Amino acid sequence: MVCPNSNPVVEKVCELYEQISRLENLSPSKDVNVLFTDLVHTCMPPNPIDVSKLCQKTQEIRSHLIKLCGQAEGLLESHFSKILSSYENPLQHLHIFPYFDNYIKLSLLEYNILTKNTTNIPKKIAFIGSGPLPLTSLVLATRHLKTTCFHNYDIDVDANFLASALVAADPDMSSRMTFHTADIMDVTCALKDYDVVFLAALVGMDKEDKVKVVDHLAKYMSPGATLMLRSAHGARAFLYPVLDPRDLRGFEVLSVYHPTDEVINSVIIARKLPVPSVQLLDGLGAYVLPSKCACAEIHAFNPLNKINLVEEFALEE
């Protein structure tokens, strides 16, 4: 195990954690902005560190830090969503958000990865964990997927209220943007309607919770549908949870991309595998057993359910 002071980046992150954890609140302010900017700049440069090999104390710090980052990010987005809603047409002023350029680059990256690995323009996309400022959906809808309908899911009713206000004045966007207040673990049959599902980086704040969400999506997404996920690599894993492609049960992993620029999140694209049929022992053939839910499936063991990493752009470890 790696001790906190054996790596200068880890040592700096732990120092910043101590300062951030002493803040009375994480709403946007000079102190909050300075500390989190310093944290991002510390974690951004390519670094071969494997956070899974850190000592237990540093693992706990990382876990708490990711939650603090999530809280601060939510408060920052709410703050700017309220400011944007004061404009007559909020969508014309998205650039006032301090990280808007990062979302432009991330959305272009995800769009290029999506088009490289799929053949059809998606008709319906679900974004899980859209938040009060759903910039990915907004950028994709206005710049890249101009006929696609976006269904944004968030567990927070206040976040959806703020987000929906941003598109209310735009006839096209308001007709193509829908906001659902729901825990995605309670959404079942509706998931079959989407050609592509995006899973936000902060849905599932640790590996176990994120894997549960992925397993749920594998159960209810349509075979052949695309799953886009965000993860983190190297020191950037102090900012966001890491999702191991090997944990994508029920999906074929098509590509994994680790950016080395100011785009923080890694991107994983996967395809939902066909549902394995249940072979009956009496020789009558293969059947999918009936269920009370019209869209429920019987998931049998499938030895062909393997990860096919078509391409992986990773740092040299």
Side-chain angles (χ1 to χ4, degrees):
M1 291 299 210
V2 178
C3 294
N5 58 0
S6 65
N7 183 302
V9 172
V10 177
E11 184 176 4
K12 176 67 173 178
V13 168
C14 291
E15 291 175 1
L16 288 169
Y17 165 75
E18 293 298 331
Q19 296 177 62
I20 291 171
S21 61
R22 289 197 295 266
L23 292 171
E24 292 186 4
N25 72 74
L26 299 177
S27 297
S29 67
K30 181 179 179 180
D31 289 342
V32 171
N33 297 344
V34 167
L35 285 173
F36 278 100
T37 298
D38 196 0
L39 177 64
V40 171
H41 288 165
T42 300
C43 297
M44 187 183 298
N47 192 311
I49 187 170
D50 183 351
V51 295
S52 67
K53 296 180 180 179
L54 297 171
C55 69
Q56 183 63 33
K57 179 181 178 181
T58 308
Q59 294 277 14
E60 293 173 359
I61 287 175
R62 173 179 171 263
S63 178
H64 293 155
L65 184 58
I66 288 174
K67 292 177 182 178
L68 292 173
C69 288
Q71 294 173 22
E73 186 173 310
L75 291 168
L76 181 69
E77 290 185 1
S78 293
H79 175 74
F80 277 93
S81 186
K82 292 172 183 176
I83 294 174
L84 285 165
S85 64
S86 67
Y87 290 99
E88 184 175 351
N89 192 334
L91 300 184
Q92 295 180 359
H93 302 275
L94 295 177
H95 60 273
I96 71 171
F97 185 67
Y99 300 106
F100 182 62
D101 287 344
N102 289 41
Y103 276 92
I104 295 292
K105 294 177 181 179
L106 176 58
S107 297
L108 177 60
L109 170 64
E110 290 176 325
Y111 172 73
N112 287 337
I113 291 173
L114 181 64
T115 54
K116 186 175 181 179
N117 289 279
T118 58
T119 55
N120 300 319
I121 297 175
K123 295 180 180 179
K124 294 178 70 175
I125 287 178
F127 194 97
I128 302 169
S130 49
L133 188 57
L135 285 173
T136 298
S137 293
L138 295 175
V139 173
L140 287 173
T142 55
R143 296 180 178 233
H144 306 297
L145 298 169
K146 298 183 179 181
T147 60
T148 302
C149 292
F150 289 77
H151 288 248
N152 301 283
Y153 287 86
D154 201 281
I155 200 169
D156 187 343
V157 63
D158 294 329
N160 278 334
F161 177 79
L162 290 171
S164 60
L166 299 178
V167 301
D170 189 294
D172 173 54
M173 293 296 287
S174 60
S175 67
R176 292 194 291 128
M177 287 277 174
T178 304
F179 297 90
H180 305 274
T181 301
D183 184 336
I184 199 61
M185 298 298 288
D186 297 327
V187 180
T188 55
C189 298
L191 290 170
K192 286 194 172 295
D193 296 336
Y194 304 115
D195 305 303
V196 180
V197 175
F198 279 79
L199 183 63
L202 292 173
V203 175
M205 297 296 284
D206 55 39
K207 177 179 177 179
E208 291 73 19
D209 288 341
K210 193 171 287 288
V211 168
K212 288 179 183 178
V213 175
V214 171
D215 288 344
H216 179 77
L217 296 176
K219 183 176 181 180
Y220 291 106
M221 284 174 61
S222 290
T226 301
L227 179 61
M228 299 285 292
L229 309 103
R230 293 172 181 174
S231 183
H233 186 71
R236 301 172 183 214
F238 281 103
L239 306 174
Y240 291 102
V242 174
L243 181 63
D244 191 329
R246 290 172 294 185
D247 290 326
L248 296 181
R249 295 183 290 264
F251 292 93
E252 176 190 10
V253 176
L254 304 176
S255 177
V256 180
Y257 183 75
H258 300 305
T260 57
D261 58 8
E262 61 268 26
V263 175
I264 300 298
N265 292 118
S266 300
V267 179
I268 303 172
I269 183 171
R271 180 183 296 122
K272 169 69 185 298
L273 289 168
V275 180
S277 57
V278 179
Q279 183 71 40
L280 300 183
L281 298 179
D282 60 4
L284 294 177
Y287 297 89
V288 175
L289 300 181
S291 170
K292 292 181 180 179
C293 177
C295 69
E297 303 157 352
I298 303 296
H299 290 267
F301 171 73
N302 180 9
L304 298 179
N305 183 358
K306 61 182 181 180
I307 291 177
N308 176 25
L309 290 180
V310 177
E311 54 180 339
E312 178 165 358
F313 299 82
L315 299 174
E316 291 294 334
E317 296 289 341

